[in-house]
Amino acid sequence: MAKMNDPRDLLIHELADILYVEQALVKTLPTLAKEATDKPLVQGFQEHLAETKQHVTRVQRAFELLGADVKAEQCPGFDGLKEEHDEFVSEQSPSPAVLDAFLTGAAARTEHYEIAAYEGMIALARGLGERGAAQLLAQNLAEEKAALTKMKTIANRLAGASAAAKAA
């Protein structure tokens, strides 16, 4: 493996990583929407799918602005999050209410991962004077933060409903 010395190379590497994540989410979000039973949660996954398709387009555009080949690189961090989901669903056979609660947590973990990635890439792009790329990535970051806020709201509502049902 060649030694990476150029921050621009790191930015391109990070773009390849997040492109993999966003493309994988385009495939994964419909499954999550089918697994969920809570209507606002289903809707949240469906809405975020449309946003995620735009995230893919923006990341591809950032590659182009940097004059780099558009390519995705496997992301072990995201793969681990997906594996955790798959194992939980298959091994725990959760009730619909438990699955919905789990899905909000899984979605929040994924959003946190993406938020951290975008914040790092934006700092690199700005440091390199790549304002156009930074701007595209900042749009994705804003949408990821909004998606996290939605998931937190849904998670809190589901937790409240679960506590109320338990008390009854």
Side-chain angles (χ1 to χ4, degrees), residues 136-154:
L136 289 167
L137 299 172
Q139 288 176 297
N140 285 6
L141 175 61
E143 290 173 358
E144 299 295 6
K145 286 182 175 180
L148 176 59
T149 298
K150 287 179 190 176
M151 279 302 125
K152 286 180 180 178
T153 300
I154 292 168

Side-chain angles (χ1 to χ4, degrees), residues 26 48-60 140 143:
V26 167
H48 198 52
L49 174 60
E51 290 176 341
T52 302
K53 289 176 181 177
Q54 288 300 309
H55 296 174
V56 169
T57 300
R58 289 186 195 122
V59 171
Q60 291 170 334
N140 285 6
E143 290 173 358

Side-chain angles (χ1 to χ4, degrees), residues 81-139:
L81 292 171
K82 182 160 181 349
E83 182 179 327
E84 179 183 18
H85 162 272
D86 295 347
E87 285 179 11
F88 180 82
V89 172
S90 69
E91 293 175 9
Q92 301 301 320
S93 300
S95 69
V98 169
L99 181 56
D100 283 346
F102 173 78
L103 292 174
T104 62
R109 285 186 290 280
T110 302
E111 296 306 332
H112 280 288
Y113 186 89
E114 291 178 287
I115 288 166
Y118 279 114
E119 287 175 340
M121 288 183 291
I122 291 165
L124 274 170
R126 287 181 178 153
L128 293 167
E130 296 290 348
R131 294 177 56 202
Q135 189 174 38
L136 289 167
L137 299 172
Q139 288 176 297

